[in-house]
């Protein structure tokens, strides 16, 4: 009954090699309507097994048309990403090993490689290699875990007593911080209302003096400030909060400092981008995602902490059936609410070994240069304008035809432009809002994205603008 | 710079095929000491890339000796698992597609296949195919998400206001429930002290009349009961809580019913085990893990709910940069604190297509038969005793040499026995405690485990007992 390993993996390998060589010729954005795939699939599971050829044929027939191709060089929305060949090969090994690293003993290699490779990653970014590191599925989980540890440090015993009757904890981040900060507050029982969003400056950076004032005011009103989330590379504009000044406010007020560098943290493998992580060595916890901009397949979010004991105090709980007799070993389940974990470190290990820090820095540099070049074309154009600085590989801009100055009309025009560009199937951009202005958001993060891709994007944009009129 | 897809995946395929064919001859339990792997690895990341042969050679040289082989047929601890070939092949496709299914639009196939295949899974277990389903990484995450939705239903607006000043919520489960229930209470700000562990009967099942009494008493004392977690297949003894009676208590008291069937739920693909899920159709939420006993590689935990709107109310939060213009589509980020997600449904899809529900039921049957046969040998032996009934594929037992009746001495003898058996490297068992008695825990869940494996385990156990003495 059991199909042959080699035969199946050969089929999968052939399928993948063909797919990855052709992906650039597929529409970036899936062209199907909601329900299309559901309608094609049997409503009930098969009673009898089918031959492998049938499943693989359905990947082409049913899955591919309904995939939005994050691998397409023209995928320039959100944060462009790359599942590089070494990362994917390692992930296959991980799937096949199929270990569960809840305890050191249940897979020493998983536990120790995760520690070592995360230390490599921290060092590659110029951060302390001595930090404790672990891999989670998403930055949302990493930030939730970090703020849970911060909550327990602020109010020891909350894990047992709960928050009912506790002082009203408050948490700070900038207006531009990611929604995962709110979601963490929701899950942790703190409440969104206790997430104080500190105003950002003209360049979308948290204003530390306004942070200090908010903390001071909250204390006077009986709240208990306990943590700040600073962002290095915000989701919309990739702005960098002034972490050294924020860290100082945290030090003075004994607040936990968590840094969300999910996207931009990896840029610091290139020394010229280390400035962005200034002050981060003072953080209590720090997250950066190799699955965003270090060419590692999803899912790989790296959570670092200078306070591993705070995580243990927040999360460790060892039932009898999970006790071990191994002294001096880290059991990763003690640092998280998740018990089981997949062997995710392998893929990051292979990425470092394949490219080396120099090779990784080269790719980062190329991506930033492409974004800067694109920004230059915008600035030289009379009909487009930049809406934010471009410190990394993301450009926020809008179509601004001469004479069209009503904000609502501009938003509508840009929405139509975006829709037209994305409907082409050749490139894909996303959108955001910056200071109330609707912005088109172009992000370079795919290894296959080159100058031709960015030129094509510019052509699609200007061509769609011409077709839509005004200019 | 970019290595060739086909070359790398061929290397990985060859490595995997060789590893999986040889895994039965490797020691089950890693034979290394803590720190062994760490000491072998460079402390800093490589600056230059290395050729693929070097990384793959290190898989053999450094990783394999430090792996506890969950793929070994003799892995009989915790819950034995299988990453089947179709599941691993699909996971390779998933890694290579490298999509992020935060929104329907960012990968319609991921979103819709997840819905359809989870409906297949529910139907295969005799549960409502109309339930809303989603895949998470672990049952711990699934249970946390479910209890978070239950908290919001009990106290609408908690996501905004937080729990400070809220009534003291209470949550119920049996003494035998998994530690993930406590961890969820810790994370959600409810506190472990508000997890009421209802006593179990002689067969380790929650006693519904004691549940009802605890709920009643708590109400009188000013607590706010809000949820019950029933377990189908508890971690230690695989006992099945009386879900129909528990559901009735929940209905009368308006409590959210979450069922943790992480391990045993999958047994119900064989109709003769459907009894175990009686009453589960009344649950508000239900979790079962195909990565435990449905031959799907880690990670694949399936969370079902009859109340998707409660999940949306607890978790939905849509920042501008994630708004979409697609009407009538499910955006999975609205049902979770995690924003991004890997394409996990592919592996479960391939598993169903490869084996069909009949083929899956056959494997389950075989596993249960092996466990029952092993239990028969124990019962026929004068020196061993069963410590719990064997409804599925797990046997809890102990060595009980005639004349040795002191509980402490028995625990010590069994710990020594366990250590000796596991040191053999040929089989691996784990342990637990049942009614204060130290138990050896043998779990059949690997497709490659056959009668010979179980005979070998029995031989290792009786041989070690003889060597250790007493009998």
């Amino acid at each position: 009954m059991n199909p042959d390993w080699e035969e199946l993996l050969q089929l999968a390998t052939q399928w993948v090699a063909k797919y990855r060589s052709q992906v650039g010729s597929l529409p970036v954005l899936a062209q199907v309507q909601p329900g299309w795939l559901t309608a094609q699939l049997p409503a009930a599971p098969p009673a009898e097994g089918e031959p492998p050829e049938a499943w693989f044929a359905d990947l082409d027939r049913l899955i591919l048309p309904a995939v939005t191709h994050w691998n397409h060089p023209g995928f320039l929305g959100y944060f462009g990403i790359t599942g590089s060949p070494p990362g994917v090969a390692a992930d296959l090994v991980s799937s096949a090993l199929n270990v569960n690293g809840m305890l050191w003993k249940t897979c020493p290699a998983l536990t120790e490689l995760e520690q070592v490779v995360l230390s490599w990653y921290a060092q590659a970014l110029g951060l302390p290699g001595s930090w404790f590191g672990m891999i989670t599925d998403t930055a949302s989980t990493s930030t939730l875990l970090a703020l849970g540890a911060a909550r327990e440090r602020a109010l020891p015993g909350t894990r047992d007593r709960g928050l009912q009757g506790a002082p009203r904890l408050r948490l700070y981040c900038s207006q531009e911080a990611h929604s995962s900060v709110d979601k963490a507050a929701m899950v942790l029982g703190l409440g969104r209302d206790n997430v104080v969003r500190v105003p950002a400056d003209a360049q979308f950076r948290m204003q530390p003096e306004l942070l200090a004032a908010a903390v001071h005011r909250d204390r006077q009103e009986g709240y208990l400030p306990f943590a700040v989330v600073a962002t290095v590379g915000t989701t919309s504009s990739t702005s960098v909060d002034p972490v050294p000044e924020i860290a100082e406010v945290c030090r003075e007020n004994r607040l936990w400092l968590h840094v969300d560098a999910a996207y931009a943290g990896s840029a610091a493998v290139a020394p010229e981008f280390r400035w962005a992580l200034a002050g981060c060595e003072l953080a209590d916890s720090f997250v950066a995602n190799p699955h965003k901009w270090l060419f590692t397949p999803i899912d790989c979010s790296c959570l670092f902490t200078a306070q591993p004991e705070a995580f243990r105090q927040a999360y460790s709980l060892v039932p009898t059936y999970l006790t071990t007799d191994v002294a001096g070993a880290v059991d990763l389940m003690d640092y998280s609410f998740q018990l089981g974990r997949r062997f995710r470190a392998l893929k990051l290990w292979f990425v470092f070994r394949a490219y080396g820090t120099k090779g990784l820095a080269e790719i980062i540099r190329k991506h930033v240069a492409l974004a800067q070049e694109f920004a230059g074309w915008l600035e030289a154009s009379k009909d487009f304008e930049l809406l934010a600085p471009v410190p990394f590989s993301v450009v926020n801009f809008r179509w601004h035809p001469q004479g069209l100055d009503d904000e609502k009309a501009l938003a509508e025009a840009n929405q139509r432009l975006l829709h037209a560009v994305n409907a082409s199937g050749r490139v894909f951009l996303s959108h955001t809002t910056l200071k109330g202005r609707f912005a088109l958001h172009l992000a370079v993060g795919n290894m296959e994205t080159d100058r031709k891709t960015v030129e094509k994007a510019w052509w699609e944009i200007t061509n769609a603008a011409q077709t839509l009129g005004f200019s």
Side-chain angles (χ1 to χ4, degrees), chain A:
Chain A
M1 168 154 46
N2 222 352
D4 176 66
W5 275 104
E6 201 145 358
E7 179 203 338
L8 275 190
L9 292 182
Q10 292 291 359
L11 280 173
T13 294
Q14 285 158 20
W15 189 89
V16 167
K18 183 169 161 229
Y19 161 67
R20 293 292 290 240
S21 70
Q22 297 185 340
V23 64
S25 62
L26 301 174
V28 193
L29 188 66
Q31 306 287 303
V32 300
Q33 294 301 309
W36 178 83
L37 176 59
T38 305
Q40 310 287 314
L41 292 166
E48 312 282 349
E50 301 166 58
E53 293 69 24
W55 338 324
F56 281 97
D58 280 352
L59 288 178
D60 292 315
R61 190 173 67 91
L62 299 174
I63 301 301
L64 280 191
V67 167
T68 291
H69 295 286
W70 293 64
N71 290 314
H72 193 295
F75 186 100
L76 302 166
Y78 310 109
F79 290 119
I81 58 175
T82 307
S84 66
V88 171
D91 218 15
L92 167 55
V93 171
S94 166
S95 299
L97 283 173
N98 200 38
V99 289
N100 181 340
M102 51 191 186
L103 301 169
W104 178 87
K105 165 178 156 175
T106 64
C107 192
L110 182 158
T111 307
E112 295 194 22
L113 192 68
E114 196 159 312
Q115 306 295 298
V116 171
V117 174
L118 264 65
S119 173
W120 286 11
Y121 185 35
Q123 293 172 62
L125 306 184
L127 291 170
S130 58
W131 274 353
F132 180 88
M134 61 180 156
I135 304 179
T136 78
D137 54 345
T138 62
S140 300
T141 297
S142 295
T143 293
L144 171 61
L145 285 170
L147 293 174
R151 187 189 66 179
E152 188 67 19
R153 191 182 70 168
L155 288 176
T158 296
R159 57 178 274 162
D160 296 324
R161 290 189 309 271
L163 281 168
Q164 302 97 330
R168 192 168 282 268
L169 291 161
R170 281 236 151 151
L171 163 63
Y172 305 80
C173 63
S174 100
Q175 283 177 325
E176 297 293 317
H178 191 259
S179 54
S180 57
V181 180
D182 292 291
K183 284 210 175 181
M186 287 155 58
V187 170
L188 291 167
L190 306 168
R192 272 188 83 190
D193 296 348
N194 291 310
V195 177
V196 179
R197 289 201 165 246
V198 177
D201 66 14
Q203 299 195 318
F204 310 100
R205 299 172 301 198
M206 195 199 291
Q207 300 187 59
E209 63 285 3
L210 297 185
L211 167 67
V215 170
H216 182 71
R217 192 177 55 242
D218 280 349
R219 276 204 206 288
Q220 287 188 314
E221 292 180 9
Y223 292 103
L224 180 60
F226 82 106
V228 177
V229 179
T231 311
V232 172
T234 55
T235 311
S236 289
S237 73
T238 73
S239 61
V240 176
D241 284 340
V243 178
E245 291 80 2
I246 293 169
E248 181 56 21
V249 175
C250 290
R251 196 189 59 76
E252 284 167 4
N253 291 278
R254 290 187 47 83
L255 309 177
W256 182 288
L257 174 58
H258 175 66
V259 176
D260 172 0
Y263 154 70
S266 295
V269 292
E272 64 268 36
F273 296 110
R274 290 243 172 122
W275 63 266
L277 295 181
C280 288
E281 70 283 0
L282 303 169
D284 295 289
S285 54
F286 176 93
V287 58
N289 285 7
H291 73 218
K292 279 210 169 63
W293 203 13
L294 209 73
F295 323 116
T296 307
I298 288 172
D299 41 12
C300 187
S301 173
C302 295
L303 172 59
F304 296 94
T305 182
Q307 316 282 353
E309 205 43 48
F311 281 75
R312 287 178 62 89
Q313 279 169 19
Y315 301 111
S316 179
L317 180 66
V318 185
T320 313
Y321 45 85
L322 293 172
T323 52
T324 66
D325 47 7
V326 187
V330 163
D331 293 323
L332 286 166
M333 69 167 196
D334 288 337
Y335 299 84
S336 173
F337 59 82
Q338 285 124 328
L339 171 57
R341 51 175 57 229
R342 178 180 163 86
F343 200 159
R344 297 192 184 100
L346 278 176
K347 52 190 174 186
L348 186 53
W349 189 42
F350 269 28
V351 165
F352 270 111
R353 304 225 19 208
Y355 300 102
T357 51
K358 286 186 189 171
L360 295 168
E362 274 310 304
I363 308 168
I364 294 282
R365 257 175 219 130
K366 181 187 133 188
H367 286 170
V368 176
L370 289 171
Q372 306 276 4
E373 189 164 17
F374 183 85
W377 299 336
L378 285 168
E379 289 189 298
S381 156
K382 282 177 304 188
D383 291 329
F384 288 85
E385 63 183 340
L386 269 178
L387 293 181
V390 183
F392 305 112
S393 69
V394 171
V395 186
N396 286 280
F397 63 102
R398 68 174 173 183
W399 182 30
H400 193 157
Q402 289 176 305
L404 188 68
D405 289 315
D406 176 66
E407 281 298 329
K408 194 155 164 271
L410 278 168
E412 280 170 14
N414 278 278
Q415 272 161 341
R416 287 172 60 205
L417 180 67
L418 180 65
H419 192 266
V421 169
N422 288 345
S424 77
R426 288 182 288 268
V427 292
F428 173 73
L429 312 183
S430 62
H431 67 276
T432 190
T433 306
L434 287 165
K435 301 205 179 295
R437 300 191 287 191
F438 184 89
L440 304 176
H441 179 99
L442 178 146
V444 183
N446 187 314
M447 274 191 195
E448 308 289 331
T449 298
D450 58 12
R451 195 167 188 283
K452 266 193 191 157
T453 316
V454 182
E455 280 171 356
K456 197 197 301 173
W458 182 231
W459 186 88
E460 294 285 350
I461 292 161
T462 49
N463 185 53
Q466 212 159 27
T467 308
L468 288 170
F470 297 113
S471 46

